Amino acid sequence: MTDSTHYDFVVVSNRLPVDRVVDPDGTARWQRSPGGLVTALEPVMRASQGAWVGWAGQPDLELEPFVSDDAMLVPVPLSPLEIEYYYEGFSNDTLWPLYHDVIAPPSFHREWWEAYVEVNQRFADASARVAAPGATVWVQDYQLQLVPRMLREQRPDLTIGFFNHIPFPPYGIYAQLPWRKQVIEGLLGADVIGFQRVADAGNFSRAVRRLFGYATRTPEIRVPDGLGGHRSVIAKAFPISIDVESFEEIARRPEVQDRARQIRADLGNPSTIMLGVDRLDYTKGIRHRLKAFGEMLRDGTLSVGDAVLVQVASPSRERVAAYMQLRDEIELTVGRLNGTYATISHSAVAYLHHGYPRDEMVALYLAADVMLVTALRDGMNLVAKEYVACRLDEDGVLVLSEFAGAADELKNALLVNPHDIDGLKEAMVAAVRMPQRERTTRMRALRRRVRDNDVARWSNTFLDTLRHANHHSDAR
Ligand code: F6P
């Protein structure tokens, strides 16, 4: 930090790590924000003492910067209409479905796009104000793809990184976006653009070639600087991860282990606890998982009392129509399954529409014999890594969708295509019946992988590449 209002390291994301929530009795409090982005970036920020620019989760909040967990949080206000157009609209009803293989149809509205441009400019301005001369600014995720260029225009002295936490789609899908060129121009303002998977970085470079014809030599993209020279932009995969040690530390605590035993007892001591933990989002494949589980109960492969599915579905984007519809469908399905198969003493599905504190999540991971991650498309899926990190006992089976970014690394999970319900059922049976020795061998290999590639490695690799890339750019 150069002085108390300017920072050498600035993170910019749509949400701050804490959301301001107002309880029904009118009391306002701060609560941890949902999603993997915050899980990954919190430890990075703690180590860097930088500033974090983002929205505080409520409309029209004009707040002064404040300190939380050693980081200076710089709130960016959004009006109710901007929340509707920029956040719920363009970010989560245009880009989100488009970037996730159009699992839900994306909506294209010009007024949403205009709000996206305006809000991105506000984030860029706020970041430019707090960045010290020559600072590093790291912009996060699809909500802020125009910020790198906007920032470079105001502050050519900055080193700018961008990380996309969600997939980047193949050109055939990306090309649907009416503003496809503007978005790529926005991103190319960065010195380094990070993606979760090698395939995402490849999709991005292909889109750049198709739309602009710029020369690319993996991982470099040569972007004309308008003065006859070039800037070099790196587009590369940096698979994100978690703070493994902090999860292990919680998993080691006797009270958390007691809580795991208590959860098992409260569920009636079934032989198998299956667990799903997701934001309630149509990309997560919750419906597919419930379908497979329901058929297994119907076929008699599993029986209530002997097996239970615990599904934590944390509330998300509740005013977006596709999410409302999904919630109705999931809750109808859970109701049907319980209505058909539950007994007075045992549920088929324990469905929990809440977010939980980390300790409780770790206790759930410890209690779960089988972890189900059946996303239809997912940038990474940090829940899969959290489960593995917590299993100090080298037990437990991870069933993992091949469409989650984590599948590139976690090859020792039982990999599934969640669209193939029979295949999913077979994997679930294999997980339930897997001999102890195989469980240990697989979990040991998974744990090695997750420990070797933790979040510190992710951020260090990204930031090293950023330092190096900026240094070698012929624009400076
Ligand atoms: O990783 C995807 C992401 O959209 C993050 O950007 C975000 O923090 C998280 O999921 C939760 O989504 P939201 O902020 O829309 O609740």
Side-chain angles (χ1 to χ4, degrees):
M1 183 173 37
T2 44
D3 60 49
S4 61
T5 48
H6 294 95
Y7 295 82
D8 290 327
F9 182 62
V10 179
V11 160
V12 194
S13 66
N14 173 57
R15 265 186 209 279
L16 287 172
V18 284
D19 264 349
R20 194 162 166 90
V21 287
V22 182
D23 289 331
D25 67 359
T27 337
R29 61 189 167 84
W30 292 97
Q31 171 183 285
R32 195 165 190 282
S33 302
L37 184 152
V38 168
T39 309
L41 278 163
E42 256 181 348
V44 179
M45 283 311 281
R46 258 199 304 277
S48 75
Q49 298 202 327
W52 191 326
V53 176
W55 171 50
Q58 288 278 316
D60 286 338
L61 276 183
E62 299 276 354
L63 298 172
E64 288 303 313
F66 61 99
V67 177
S68 166
D69 247 351
D70 287 344
M72 178 60 80
L73 305 191
V74 183
V76 175
L78 293 182
S79 71
L81 198 67
E82 286 167 345
I83 293 174
E84 192 182 331
Y85 285 9
Y86 147 78
Y87 170 68
E88 291 161 352
F90 199 77
S91 297
N92 290 320
D93 204 11
T94 304
L95 294 173
W96 182 268
L98 187 77
Y99 281 31
H100 286 88
D101 285 357
V102 295
I103 295 165
S107 309
F108 301 114
H109 296 296
R110 283 164 285 185
E111 55 282 22
W112 291 4
W113 163 252
E114 281 155 22
Y116 185 77
V117 176
E118 221 168 276
V119 171
N120 270 245
Q121 188 66 59
R122 189 173 312 144
F123 274 83
D125 296 348
S127 313
R129 273 197 300 275
V130 294
T136 294
V137 181
W138 194 3
V139 184
Q140 310 292 324
D141 231 356
Y142 62 103
Q143 303 95 338
L144 301 177
Q145 293 174 101
L146 308 181
V147 170
R149 180 179 178 166
M150 290 169 165
L151 206 46
R152 180 169 296 281
E153 278 168 2
Q154 286 190 51
R155 293 285 306 273
D157 59 301
L158 300 176
T159 298
I160 304 169
F162 180 90
F163 188 78
N164 197 51
H165 291 252
I166 68 172
F168 194 89
Y171 185 69
I173 291 180
Y174 181 72
Q176 290 179 23
L177 185 67
W179 308 278
R180 59 197 187 185
K181 286 188 98 168
Q182 292 95 314
V183 165
I184 287 190
E185 280 169 342
L187 289 169
L188 288 175
D191 297 295
V192 174
I193 309 172
F195 296 91
Q196 300 281 26
R197 317 221 284 192
V198 173
D200 298 319
N203 288 343
F204 177 75
S205 297
R206 248 184 312 281
V208 171
R209 282 198 299 277
R210 292 288 293 268
L211 292 168
F212 294 92
Y214 297 160
T216 63
R217 231 182 68 213
T218 309
E220 191 190 357
I221 301 174
R222 306 264 295 158
V223 181
D225 63 5
L227 306 165
H230 288 91
R231 280 178 52 237
S232 157
V233 175
I234 301 293
K236 205 174 158 215
F238 300 87
I240 202 167
S241 194
I242 55 165
D243 182 1
V244 176
E245 265 177 36
S246 78
F247 279 92
E248 286 185 344
E249 186 274 313
I250 299 173
R252 243 181 244 120
R253 287 187 208 155
E255 71 274 16
V256 173
Q257 295 180 4
D258 284 349
R259 175 67 190 139
R261 280 187 283 274
Q262 184 63 48
I263 290 171
R264 188 160 214 115
D266 289 350
L267 289 166
N269 278 319
S271 342
T272 305
I273 298 175
M274 295 197 178
L275 176 65
V277 174
D278 311 85
R279 276 186 310 101
L280 188 45
D281 194 298
Y282 50 80
T283 58
K284 303 291 184 184
I286 303 172
R287 273 184 296 218
H288 298 63
R289 182 182 315 165
L290 289 172
K291 187 163 181 58
F293 185 71
E295 287 189 16
M296 290 164 86
L297 292 176
R298 184 198 64 197
D299 302 344
T301 324
L302 294 177
S303 61
V304 162
D306 210 32
V308 64
L309 170 59
V310 178
Q311 177 63 56
V312 177
S314 51
S316 189
R317 306 173 188 165
E318 291 187 281
R319 298 189 336 162
V320 179
Y323 289 76
M324 291 181 200
Q325 197 188 327
L326 175 76
R327 182 171 177 194
D328 286 347
E329 280 174 38
I330 297 294
E331 294 184 356
L332 179 75
T333 309
V334 169
R336 283 212 177 125
L337 285 174
N338 279 332
T340 310
Y341 299 107
T343 63
I344 297 281
S345 42
H346 296 283
S347 302
V349 183
Y351 169 77
L352 305 154
H353 185 240
H354 310 285
Y356 286 99
R358 185 169 287 177
D359 293 14
E360 182 71 357
M361 293 314 306
V362 172
L364 274 165
Y365 293 142
L366 294 182
D369 305 291
V370 179
M371 182 79 215
L372 299 173
V373 177
T374 57
L376 306 178
R377 180 55 81 197
D378 208 333
M380 174 55 64
N381 198 293
L382 293 182
V383 164
K385 294 190 174 180
E386 289 175 8
Y387 179 66
V388 169
C390 291
R391 296 312 302 236
L392 299 158
D393 59 356
E394 299 183 329
D395 205 350
V397 182
L398 174 64
V399 174
L400 177 62
S401 165
E402 59 192 69
F403 301 112
D408 280 6
E409 294 171 80
L410 304 184
K411 302 275 187 219
N412 283 83
L414 291 183
L415 294 180
V416 292
N417 168 5
H419 297 281
D420 170 11
I421 300 296
D422 285 337
L424 183 52
K425 283 159 65 180
E426 277 162 29
M428 286 160 76
V429 172
V432 172
R433 299 192 183 148
M434 190 180 286
Q436 165 88 55
R437 266 176 76 121
E438 185 181 348
R439 297 205 299 267
T440 306
T441 313
R442 284 179 182 268
M443 186 53 80
R444 196 172 285 158
L446 289 170
R447 289 185 51 72
R448 208 174 303 125
R449 187 74 207 204
V450 171
R451 292 191 62 139
D452 287 350
N453 292 299
D454 74 347
V455 74
R457 171 129 184 222
W458 169 73
S459 57
N460 289 338
T461 317
F462 185 94
L463 294 171
D464 278 353
T465 310
L466 188 54
R467 260 187 295 276
H468 199 249
N470 182 267
H471 186 70
H472 284 96
S473 171
D474 65 9
R476 282 153 215 281

